[in-house]
Amino acid sequence: MKNLLTITAILFLGLICQSQRVSADVVAEYNLNVNINSDLSSQMNLTVDLHNTSDTSLVSGYSIDLPYQVTAADATLNSNAVSVILDSKPNSSNIKIDFLTNVIKPGSNASLNLTVFSLNSIKEVFKMKEFTLPYPSSNYNYSAINVSIVYPVTLGSISYASEFKYDLQRVDDNFTKIIFQQTGPIQFLWGAPEFNAVFNSAITNRKDSDNHFLYSLIPEYSDQIVNYTQIFASDYALVDKLNNTFAFLTVSANESIELNSQANIKLNSSKNIIEHADNYGWNIDLDSVLGQQIYSNINQGTETLSKFKSVNDFIITSFSLNADKIDLQSLSSIWQSNNKDINSLQYCYLIVSTAEYLGYKGKIEYGYALPVSSQSVNPSIWCSVQVDGRTLVFDFESQKINGHPQIVTSTINKLRMGIWHPDQSYNTILGLVSEEPTVATITDSNSYIPDSQLELQLKTEFPSNVYSGEFYSGKIIIVNPTSNIAHFNDLKINNESVLSNIAVGQLYKAAMPLQQTSINIDYLRETDFILNLSRDITVEVNIEDKVLSNSTTVRFEPDFKLIILFIVILIITVSIFVYLIVKLIRRKV
C-alpha cells in the first residue's frame, strides 16, 4: 500500500539540513522511540546524533515535512533550546528547527532531540490499523536505525512486513513493545482486514458456435474467508490441486454475458497458507550476462536471506516496471534480452529461478493489493519463498511504487486470487496474459454475516428405464444456498467412487455458491443381462466434509433388439458348426 498517512512518517519525510551549504559530510545516527496511547494518540521521540566531518561547513538546522497534522513539537540540541516553528495544515505539517547560536562546527558532534505529538497518526483502513516507517531520504551518511514502538494490546496481532527479525516484548497487561532495526520502509498492520471485493466485467463470444470460458473466482484459504453476497450464473465451478477456483461458462455464439459478483472477505494474520506448487523447473542461464550478474549477487550474500536480498536489490535497481500485457513466451528469453524494463511475472521468473538454484521452492501468486481507500485496482503478481520457516514475499510492483528495494514477510494487505504455475495453460492470471485485466473494486466491508442455518441439498435425476448392458448417464444436482463454493471430496455410486467422472483435465468440478449446479455422471452401466429387474441407485456425495445421500430406482429391461441379434448370431454360429461337422463326417465315410 502506498501513500499511507502513518505515525512514523513524521520522522524522515523531507528531512533537509539547513547549513551554509548542504553537505554530504554529515554522519547521522538515528534512534526512535514511539509510544502509542490507548486512545491512539502518539508521542514520538527522535534522537539524531550528528557528526560534522566537514572541514568548512556549519550545520545550522533541520527542516522536516510531515504528511499529517501535528498537534505540538519541541526540540533541543545538546540540551540547549532551539527555535521550533510548526506550520500545521489539515493533512500535513512542516517543522523548521533553527539551531540559533548552537551551530555544529566542522569536526564537531551534537545530539538533536525532537518530540512530536499527534492525535491522528494511526489510520484505519478496512477495519485494520496501520502505519508505515519510511526510510530517511537525505544526503547524510547513515546505516540502520534503531526503533522501539510501544503500542496497546487492544490493537490486536501485528503483521511485521520486513525481512528483518524483531524482538517482541510484553511491557505489561496493556502494552507491548517491538524493537528492531530499520534499513528500509516498513509497514505495520494490526488486526485483520475486512472488505468487499466487487467485480464487474463481461465475456464476449465472437465465434459462430458456442464457446467455453474460465473466469477466476476468489479461493478460500486458511487465512482468507470468502462469502459471496452476489454472483453470476455459471455451469459449475472448477478447482485445481492448488485451490485455484474458476467459474466454467458456456457462452452462445456471438453473444456477451455480464459477470457481476460481490464478496465479503476477511483475512487473518495469525494463520498462514503453506500451499506450494511443484518445482517450476526454471534455471539461471549462466551463459548470459544477466545470469552471471544474478550469480554474482547470490555470491555476495553470506546467508540465505542476504543472498535473496542482494539479488532482489540488483533487479529492482537495474530494471523499470513494464505494465504491458504479459507474454508467457517471453519468460525464458529474458536471459538474452537487453531490455531495461520487465513485468512482474518476468521478475518472479528471476526470483523463482534463484530460489530453485539455492534449493528452495518458489511460489508465484496473483491477486489485488488493498488500496488506501475504496477504489478500483488492477490485478498484480508477486512471489514468495519459504526460508527457515519464514515466508519471504517479493513484490516488484509495490517496490517500484515505494521507490525502495525491500522484501516483506506478510500478505495480509492482499486479496489472493490464486497460485500460478507454467502447467496451468488454462490460467490467464486475471486477464493479464491474454485479455483485458479483471478490475476489482475494493470497498469497506458491509459486515455480511452468512446464514449458518443454510444447508447443501442433493437431488438426483436418473432414467427410469435402462437397457441392461448399455451405458447410461445420471445427473446429480447440488443446491448450494450458502455463500461459499462447495468442493467435492468424493462421489460414490453404489459405494463405488466415480470422482474421476467430474474431472475436467487437471481440474475438478465444484458447486457454485448461491445457485443450483447440475453435474452429469456418465459411463454408468449394468453389465448383466437382467430381465425386468428394478435396482436402487444410491448416490453419496462428500462435499465440504458433509455427506449427502440420495437413492432412486432404475428399472433394467432387456434390450430385445440385442437379444434377437444375439439369437440370430447364435443360430448362425451353430448352423456353421453343424455344417462343418456333417461335412467332416461325409469325408470320413
Side-chain angles (χ1 to χ4, degrees):
M1 294 187 231
K2 56 181 183 295
N3 301 325
L4 299 177
L5 299 182
T6 62
I7 177 174
T8 49
I10 56 178
L11 305 183
F12 309 118
L13 291 182
L15 192 61
I16 302 173
C17 173
Q18 295 178 341
S19 60
Q20 291 179 350
R21 66 180 178 87
V22 177
S23 172
D25 298 325
V26 178
V27 177
E29 297 176 6
Y30 295 85
N31 289 276
L32 166 68
N33 294 295
V34 178
N35 287 287
I36 302 172
N37 302 314
S38 298
D39 61 359
L40 300 188
S41 63
S42 62
Q43 175 181 326
M44 180 274 292
N45 297 99
L46 172 66
T47 300
V48 185
D49 293 326
L50 297 170
H51 312 279
N52 188 354
T53 59
S54 171
D55 295 329
T56 57
S57 299
L58 299 175
V59 181
S60 60
Y62 269 147
S63 177
I64 305 175
D65 293 315
L66 313 175
Y68 58 86
Q69 192 175 56
V70 171
T71 306
D74 186 40
T76 62
L77 186 70
N78 289 339
S79 300
N80 298 315
V82 293
S83 172
V84 179
I85 301 175
L86 173 61
D87 181 14
S88 190
K89 298 180 177 62
N91 297 314
S92 64
S93 299
N94 174 263
I95 298 177
K96 292 183 179 179
I97 303 173
D98 190 337
F99 294 164
L100 302 175
T101 59
N102 302 303
V103 295
I104 306 175
K105 297 179 181 179
S108 300
N109 304 324
S111 179
L112 171 67
N113 290 278
L114 173 65
T115 302
V116 175
F117 301 90
S118 176
L119 298 177
N120 61 352
S121 53
I122 291 185
K123 300 299 180 181
E124 180 174 296
V125 178
F126 305 121
K127 298 187 178 180
M128 177 177 58
K129 304 297 190 301
E130 63 183 24
F131 69 85
T132 300
L133 263 153
Y135 198 52
S137 176
S138 73
N139 52 355
Y140 292 160
N141 297 317
Y142 54 85
S143 55
I145 301 168
N146 299 314
V147 182
S148 169
I149 301 176
V150 176
Y151 62 89
V153 297
T154 53
L155 283 176
S157 59
I158 187 171
S159 296
Y160 180 71
S162 171
E163 73 270 28
F164 294 101
K165 295 183 178 180
Y166 60 91
D167 182 18
L168 197 63
Q169 303 175 357
R170 191 65 176 262
V171 178
D172 53 35
D173 292 340
N174 299 314
F175 290 91
T176 298
K177 178 189 289 186
I178 184 171
I179 303 171
F180 57 95
Q181 283 194 329
Q182 179 195 15
T183 59
I186 302 175
Q187 181 183 73
F188 288 91
L189 308 167
W190 283 286
E194 186 174 333
F195 54 93
N196 287 336
V198 179
F199 300 86
N200 294 311
S201 58
I203 287 182
T204 301
N205 178 17
R206 295 183 175 86
K207 292 185 177 181
D208 294 328
S209 59
D210 291 353
N211 202 4
H212 305 296
F213 296 88
L214 292 181
Y215 184 84
S216 292
L217 300 175
I218 309 172
E220 191 159 340
Y221 300 117
S222 60
D223 60 346
Q224 180 169 286
I225 301 173
V226 182
N227 292 297
Y228 276 96
T229 57
Q230 172 188 334
I231 195 164
F232 53 86
S234 173
D235 297 1
Y236 44 77
L238 286 173
V239 182
D240 65 14
K241 64 181 180 180
L242 292 172
N243 205 38
N244 297 309
T245 309
F246 307 88
F248 182 87
L249 302 148
T250 302
V251 184
S252 301
N254 300 306
E255 288 192 3
S256 179
I257 58 174
E258 299 291 329
L259 301 175
N260 300 325
S261 63
Q262 179 173 330
N264 174 268
I265 294 97
K266 297 180 182 179
L267 305 183
N268 190 338
S269 59
S270 64
K271 296 182 179 179
N272 294 317
I273 177 174
I274 57 174
E275 291 97 331
H276 267 264
D278 296 332
N279 281 347
Y280 285 70
W282 291 339
N283 300 303
I284 299 175
D285 185 355
L286 296 177
D287 293 330
S288 66
V289 174
L290 177 57
Q292 282 294 317
Q293 290 172 325
I294 289 181
Y295 177 77
S296 175
N297 278 276
I298 290 175
N299 290 331
Q300 287 184 20
T302 56
E303 299 177 342
T304 301
L305 176 60
S306 60
K307 293 178 184 293
F308 277 111
K309 182 170 178 55
S310 178
V311 171
N312 175 74
D313 291 357
F314 161 72
I315 299 173
I316 295 299
T317 55
S318 300
F319 295 92
S320 59
L321 175 63
N322 182 352
D324 292 341
K325 186 181 72 173
I326 291 173
D327 180 11
L328 296 180
Q329 304 301 320
S330 66
L331 286 179
S332 59
S333 63
I334 190 174
W335 302 111
Q336 308 304 328
S337 173
N338 294 321
N339 292 340
K340 289 301 180 181
D341 59 341
I342 59 176
N343 57 51
S344 296
L345 187 58
Q346 290 172 317
Y347 164 79
C348 288
Y349 178 92
L350 298 177
I351 295 295
V352 171
S353 297
T354 300
E356 295 191 350
Y357 175 83
L358 293 173
Y360 295 92
K361 295 186 69 172
K363 175 177 61 175
I364 298 177
E365 294 186 89
Y366 56 95
Y368 301 89
L370 301 187
V372 177
S373 58
S374 299
Q375 63 182 35
S376 296
V377 289
N378 285 319
S380 60
I381 300 172
W382 62 91
C383 53
S384 62
V385 180
Q386 287 280 337
V387 177
D388 300 330
R390 305 178 68 209
T391 300
L392 305 180
V393 182
F394 304 79
D395 190 329
F396 187 65
E397 185 174 354
S398 70
Q399 291 183 80
K400 284 299 184 181
I401 291 174
N402 293 332
H404 188 90
Q406 184 190 23
I407 306 169
V408 300
T409 58
S410 175
T411 56
I412 194 68
N413 60 342
K414 296 180 184 296
L415 169 58
R416 298 196 310 282
M417 296 292 292
I419 299 172
W420 183 82
H421 191 274
D423 291 341
Q424 298 171 343
S425 59
Y426 49 82
N427 192 346
T428 64
I429 319 180
L430 297 170
L432 289 174
V433 174
S434 60
E435 306 166 13
E436 290 295 324
T438 303
V439 178
T441 300
I442 310 296
T443 63
D444 287 326
S445 171
N446 59 5
S447 298
Y448 171 73
I449 301 176
D451 189 346
S452 59
Q453 302 300 316
L454 298 177
E455 295 289 343
L456 297 169
Q457 302 171 32
L458 170 65
K459 300 179 181 179
T460 59
E461 291 182 3
F462 282 84
S464 57
N465 296 282
V466 176
Y467 286 130
S468 299
E470 291 189 356
F471 289 104
Y472 64 97
S473 299
K475 180 183 292 184
I476 66 169
I477 301 170
I478 302 295
V479 180
N480 183 6
T482 73
S483 58
N484 307 108
I485 297 169
H487 299 70
F488 286 93
N489 298 312
D490 202 356
L491 174 61
K492 295 180 179 180
I493 306 292
N494 291 338
N495 293 320
E496 182 180 350
S497 178
V498 292
L499 189 63
S500 58
N501 287 61
I502 61 172
V504 180
Q506 302 180 43
L507 301 95
Y508 282 86
K509 296 177 184 176
M512 293 287 289
L514 306 178
Q515 59 189 265
Q516 177 175 291
T517 300
S518 297
I519 296 177
N520 289 328
I521 305 298
D522 297 319
Y523 309 117
L524 301 176
R525 187 183 187 189
E526 183 59 59
T527 57
D528 296 330
F529 286 92
I530 301 172
L531 303 181
N532 300 323
L533 174 66
S534 295
R535 174 169 292 191
D536 289 336
I537 303 296
T538 301
V539 178
E540 184 179 284
V541 176
N542 187 325
I543 186 169
E544 292 300 314
D545 293 324
K546 297 180 178 66
V547 178
L548 308 176
S549 61
N550 191 297
S551 295
T552 187
T553 301
V554 176
R555 183 175 181 79
F556 293 93
E557 300 177 346
D559 186 344
F560 292 104
K561 293 180 181 178
L562 187 61
I563 293 175
I564 292 172
L565 179 60
F566 175 76
I567 293 173
V568 170
I569 293 174
L570 181 60
I571 292 173
I572 293 174
T573 302
V574 172
S575 299
I576 294 174
F577 182 70
V578 171
Y579 170 78
L580 292 175
I581 291 176
V582 171
K583 190 172 182 180
L584 181 60
I585 292 173
R586 286 179 178 176
R587 283 186 178 180
K588 288 184 178 181
V589 174

